[in-house]
Amino acid sequence: MKSDSQAVKVYNEIRRMIHLYLLMPNTRLKEDEWAKKMEVSRMAVREALNRLLGERLVTFGEKGGYFVTSITEEDIHEIRELREILEIGALRLCFKKMNNSHLSRLQKICDDFSSMVEQGYYSGAMEADMKFHETLFEIADNERLHHAYHTSHIMLFHLKLGKVHTYLDDFAQTDEEHRKILKYIKENNLKLAEEALYSHLARGSASALGLN
């Protein structure tokens, strides 16, 4: 595998784990450990970490080394506002382009989410959660909008600031909220779908801040 391909491989994996909080804020990312884990060169790991550094997903410690960027209350508020703007825009485009195949995809994601939670596969459930939102952008079929979403590094809201990470806090509510959004999409009711999505994002950010 070429060095640039190795770096992309490492970048994608670390980015994914940061977005899903499988790598917690302030976690140190050691080049040698990641090189061994990903079976790549240390140079490839360094290239990936420098790319993540440029995207502010990692920081460089005062005494050296790379660390996962910490999340503040202001970050949570800004992420919520950005998600509202981008996702409600995507939802509106979805209503113009939705077909039965798209509905089936969203339904399967909801069912996969429920199944993974029931089986205790919480990291998989979190990936299904992210996939539900990403699929709205795929269905919207606007390359620039999808690119804006992808490059904005929008995270989930499963982390309560200042507390130990737990997977169980809001999965039941997330499942219910996703299914409600899908219900209104199936009923072709844009107004209620927007309200359900807005409430879902507001509840998620409040949960992350420990406000509910």
Side-chain angles (χ1 to χ4, degrees):
M1 185 182 294
K2 295 182 179 179
S3 178
D4 56 346
S5 298
Q6 291 182 346
V8 170
K9 174 185 175 182
V10 178
Y11 165 82
N12 285 335
E13 178 61 9
I14 295 179
R15 179 182 181 274
R16 181 187 73 85
M17 294 184 71
I18 290 174
H19 283 182
L20 295 173
Y21 296 111
L22 299 177
L23 283 172
M24 296 298 292
N26 300 314
T27 298
R28 183 167 185 176
L29 304 170
K30 296 182 179 180
E31 293 178 19
D32 56 342
E33 291 181 359
W34 278 93
K36 182 177 181 180
K37 176 180 179 180
M38 301 293 294
E39 299 182 338
V40 300
S41 68
R42 287 189 62 169
M43 181 174 292
V45 174
R46 188 174 300 123
E47 288 178 13
L49 291 174
N50 281 329
R51 180 176 175 184
L52 293 163
L53 180 67
E55 295 173 355
R56 299 193 298 178
L57 286 175
V58 304
T59 58
F60 201 70
E62 292 182 3
K63 298 182 180 180
Y66 297 89
F67 296 81
V68 178
T69 302
S70 61
I71 301 296
T72 66
E73 290 190 21
E74 183 179 358
D75 292 328
I76 294 293
H77 288 302
E78 289 185 354
I79 290 169
R80 173 194 163 181
E81 289 173 346
L82 185 58
R83 289 187 70 173
E84 287 174 1
I85 292 169
L86 295 178
E87 294 194 36
I88 288 178
L91 184 65
R92 290 172 180 172
L93 289 176
C94 283
F95 268 72
K96 300 177 182 179
K97 304 175 182 181
M98 188 73 65
N99 57 39
N100 288 334
S101 177
H102 296 146
L103 292 173
S104 295
R105 285 175 61 191
L106 290 170
Q107 184 66 60
K108 184 178 186 304
I109 293 168
C110 288
D111 294 341
D112 287 345
F113 180 93
S114 300
S115 176
M116 290 178 185
V117 172
E118 289 174 2
Q119 296 176 50
Y121 182 32
Y122 303 122
S123 60
M126 291 173 75
E127 293 200 59
D129 183 356
M130 183 170 284
K131 184 62 177 176
F132 180 87
H133 295 274
E134 288 180 343
T135 300
L136 294 179
F137 286 91
E138 293 172 7
I139 295 170
D141 194 26
N142 183 301
E143 184 177 346
R144 292 180 184 274
L145 180 62
H146 198 179
H147 179 73
Y149 177 79
H150 180 77
T151 57
S152 295
H153 304 300
I154 293 176
M155 301 178 183
L156 299 175
F157 289 131
H158 292 280
L159 176 72
K160 284 184 169 56
L161 297 184
K163 298 184 179 180
V164 176
H165 187 198
T166 175
Y167 296 111
L168 296 175
D169 284 347
D170 70 349
F171 278 174
Q173 288 175 288
T174 295
D175 193 16
E176 180 181 344
E177 289 162 0
H178 283 178
R179 291 180 184 278
K180 183 179 290 186
I181 294 166
L182 179 56
K183 173 179 181 291
Y184 293 137
I185 292 174
K186 289 179 177 180
E187 294 174 356
N188 200 32
N189 192 324
L190 176 58
K191 182 175 184 297
L192 290 181
E194 285 184 1
E195 290 176 358
L197 177 56
Y198 180 89
S199 296
H200 173 52
L201 298 177
R203 197 272 307 166
S205 62
S207 177
L209 294 168
L211 300 178
N212 63 3

